Amino acid sequence: MRKMVKVLAMGAIALGMAAASQAQFRQSIYLDFNLPTGKFASNVGNHAVLPLGYTEIGKDASVGFGLGYRASYRFDVGVGLVAPFVQGDFLWNTIGGTLNDEYTQARAKHTPTYFNIPLQIGVSYLYDELWSDITPYAEFGLGTDIMFITAEGECTYGGLSTMKYAYKPDAAFSFSIGLGAYFGRHVSAGLYYYGLGKHTVSYTNGTYKKLSTLEKLEYDNGDVQTRTAGSLALRIGFHF
């Protein structure tokens, strides 16, 4: 009986070592160039008065940039490779040029900027049997997106200054899909769509306390403001 247990134990160890030898741990760093989509990119038009307020904030995002980090394991499945991963990205967008000019003309102390941080788990499939140095891939990820909107306001008109607004977007479900290719072992390029979710946007408590009675009534009685954010992205990856 003891011999049987030893044999089974040795077999389990051998199988574990074999599986480990087939798996490859990889780390990746990404540069992202993103084009906003959906309400996130919608034009707010010409505003005679700034700041935008919570009914218009979270729109008119410009082309942006970002950084990402990923940890993954690759497994040989006989026909290509499968690579489960965890990743986080930091995406940055300013407001559009025309609107940005309006804030400059209004001598605003605070111009809004948008940050999205999608945190996801997912899986890649790599087909490494076409060419020796080019490996096409497809992947899919799911997770959450944490959105931040910086403060806006204190715009000066004729010696008078508007108040400063600050925002509190909720986190939202996110996903990503991507297609691309590895060029050698250490560099990749891919096109992605990030569905960054439907975020509820509200004022911070500090801002709400400073609103006028009329503004508070409008805010309390108004519809819940949501922003459906998304981005098309070119991702350049460096893998080691």
Side-chain angles (χ1 to χ4, degrees):
M1 185 66 178
R2 288 183 179 179
K3 288 184 178 181
M4 181 63 70
V5 172
K6 288 182 179 180
V7 169
L8 291 174
M10 292 298 292
I13 292 172
L15 287 173
M17 293 177 64
S21 68
Q22 294 297 315
Q24 304 173 25
F25 176 69
R26 303 295 300 273
Q27 297 185 81
S28 305
I29 295 174
Y30 293 90
L31 296 178
D32 300 322
F33 304 90
N34 69 82
L35 177 67
T37 63
K39 286 186 178 180
F40 194 39
S42 61
N43 196 314
V44 300
N46 295 321
H47 272 73
V49 178
L50 296 176
L52 298 177
Y54 95 118
T55 59
E56 296 291 346
I57 198 67
K59 300 178 180 179
D60 215 342
S62 68
V63 173
F65 305 94
L67 293 172
Y69 171 80
R70 173 183 294 185
S72 64
Y73 264 100
R74 289 184 179 181
F75 297 91
D76 190 334
V77 292
V79 182
L81 304 169
V82 171
F85 63 79
V86 294
Q87 71 176 17
D89 289 280
F90 181 84
L91 307 176
W92 166 76
N93 301 85
T94 61
I95 56 173
T98 301
L99 191 57
N100 199 16
D101 290 343
E102 289 188 39
Y103 277 94
T104 301
Q105 292 170 10
R107 290 180 287 176
K109 290 184 179 179
H110 306 279
T111 302
T113 301
Y114 306 130
F115 299 100
N116 285 279
I117 305 175
L119 304 173
Q120 298 183 342
I121 60 172
V123 64
S124 297
Y125 174 74
L126 302 88
Y127 190 69
D128 60 349
E129 299 186 13
L130 286 177
W131 305 283
S132 59
D133 294 326
I134 300 177
T135 304
Y137 70 84
E139 60 186 44
F140 179 71
L142 295 172
T144 187
D145 178 61
I146 303 169
M147 188 179 194
F148 294 95
I149 300 174
T150 63
E152 62 157 346
E154 295 190 71
C155 305
T156 303
Y157 297 95
L160 300 175
S161 180
T162 63
M163 69 172 289
K164 173 182 173 183
Y165 293 96
Y167 300 96
K168 184 176 58 177
D170 289 341
F173 170 80
S174 71
F175 70 92
S176 63
I177 54 175
L179 295 171
Y182 285 78
F183 302 93
R185 286 180 50 84
H186 302 293
V187 178
S188 69
L191 293 175
Y192 287 74
Y193 177 73
Y194 281 91
L196 299 172
K198 188 174 183 179
H199 297 268
T200 300
V201 180
S202 58
Y203 290 124
T204 62
N205 288 335
T207 296
Y208 184 78
K209 290 175 183 177
K210 296 177 184 178
L211 293 175
S212 68
T213 301
L214 178 59
E215 287 175 315
K216 285 182 180 180
L217 287 173
E218 290 177 346
Y219 176 62
D220 286 337
N221 296 328
D223 294 331
V224 173
Q225 296 296 313
T226 59
R227 298 292 176 266
T228 303
S231 287
L232 291 171
L234 170 64
R235 303 188 80 201
I236 308 299
F238 303 92
H239 314 279
F240 51 94

